[in-house]
Amino acid sequence: MEDLIGKANTLMEALPYIRRFSGKTFVIKYGGHAMADERLKASFALDVIMLKSLGINAVIVHGGGPQINQTLKRYGIESEFVRGMRVTDAETMSVVEMVLVGQVNKEVVGYLNHHGGRAVGLSGKDGTLLLSKKLLLEAKAEDGSRELVDIGYVGDVVKVNTDLIRTLESGKYLPVIAPVGVGPEGESYNINADLVAGRVAAALNAEKLILLTDIEGVKDKNGTLLGSIAVADMHRLIEEEAITGGMIPKVVCCADALNEGVKKAHIIDGRVEHAVLLEIFTDGGIGTEIVK
Ligand SMILES: Nc1ncnc2c1ncn2[C@@H]1O[C@H](COP(=O)(O)OP(=O)(O)O)[C@@H](O)[C@H]1O
Ligand SMILES: CC(=O)N[C@@H](CCC(=O)OP(=O)(O)O)C(=O)O
């Protein structure tokens, strides 16, 4: 009996969160390690289906950097990154689109539905979901000055077709978005998935933006996990090169999303089973929260 009462208490702990979040929108960026491991795939799918069952409008944006790397390697195409963004020429762009839209998106949709979801896969081209433009990247020149760098078909989101997402949600469907945008001339753009998640969260006025990654959260120069960082500290950590590579677009898009009205932004460890539920339904949460 004690065991059963314990179970009931665990359920009751979630009640205030369920009350607070039912009817709200959560945008979840799914990527990194959690996409590579069968047990974690199932745990992620079940977490998302649980959220939908509780009346939370979950929207998934997935990555696929490692899968793109694998295919580029198979084709003998070299790839390099600037501040966490892949330099993308026309040939690379066609591989990126093939892998993200044709392979990864369908795989994610497949296992969400296998576990009982009503997932619908979309690229930024479907219904012009992600109208985009070329992204010029601000980087440090050798003399220390700032310069804008053209890294090819890499984009930023100009406008999100929120109508399409709301239409799917009203039918209880679960949108799963591949981070490929479309320009005014119909051209494709490779967009960092964290950036897409941040823009979609802002456009939907989301309650939470949650980025799953392959590390416990954001760490300082000594490797200590930071439970919470303010936007000002974030800029300092980037300047000091404590935050580097793929972590840069993550923290920057969290800060942008908060500025545009998203209530909370979290970077959490996708290697932990049920990471999404632990973040949402426990008092302390997990990982790093970015705060204004
Ligand atoms: N300050 C930092 N704290 C944590 N991770 C960092 C930091 N700076 C750089 N990183 C790196 O960023 C990586 C996460 O970015 P990325 O590999 O692009 O993740 P994902 O594939 O989940 O999008 C971490 O594995 C880590 O190597
Ligand atoms: C411009 C840019 O860098 N786009 C990314 C898109 C995929 C992505 O963001 O995947 P992860 O979240 O798994 O890293 C890329 O080409 O790898």
Side-chain angles (χ1 to χ4, degrees), residues 170-217:
S170 67
K172 307 264 182 271
Y173 288 102
L174 169 64
V176 178
I177 303 171
V180 171
V182 62
E185 307 301 325
E187 71 277 25
S188 302
Y189 284 109
N190 178 15
I191 314 181
N192 174 276
D194 301 306
L195 179 56
V196 171
R199 298 282 187 248
V200 170
L204 293 171
N205 216 351
E207 185 72 19
K208 269 184 195 275
L209 167 65
I210 300 175
L211 307 178
L212 268 75
T213 185
D214 59 358
I215 196 160
E216 291 88 340

Side-chain angles (χ1 to χ4, degrees), residues 28-32 34 44 210-214 250 268-270 275-276:
I28 304 169
K29 151 64 195 318
Y30 175 52
F44 173 77
I210 300 175
L211 307 178
L212 268 75
T213 185
D214 59 358
K250 277 188 215 308
I268 67 170
D269 193 348
V276 173

Side-chain angles (χ1 to χ4, degrees), residues 232-292:
D233 297 329
M234 175 198 95
H235 288 301
R236 183 180 46 78
L237 288 164
I238 295 175
E239 208 52 47
E240 287 172 355
E241 297 185 359
I243 296 179
T244 58
M247 193 51 78
I248 299 176
K250 277 188 215 308
V251 290
V252 169
C253 85
C254 286
D256 287 350
L258 291 172
N259 275 333
E260 289 170 50
V262 173
K263 306 281 182 313
K264 286 187 168 255
H266 304 267
I267 296 173
I268 67 170
D269 193 348
R271 300 169 304 175
V272 174
E273 249 180 281
H274 299 298
V276 173
L277 291 189
L278 290 174
E279 163 37 44
I280 297 170
F281 296 110
T282 59
D283 284 336
I286 59 169
T288 303
E289 182 181 359
I290 317 289
V291 294
K292 267 185 153 174

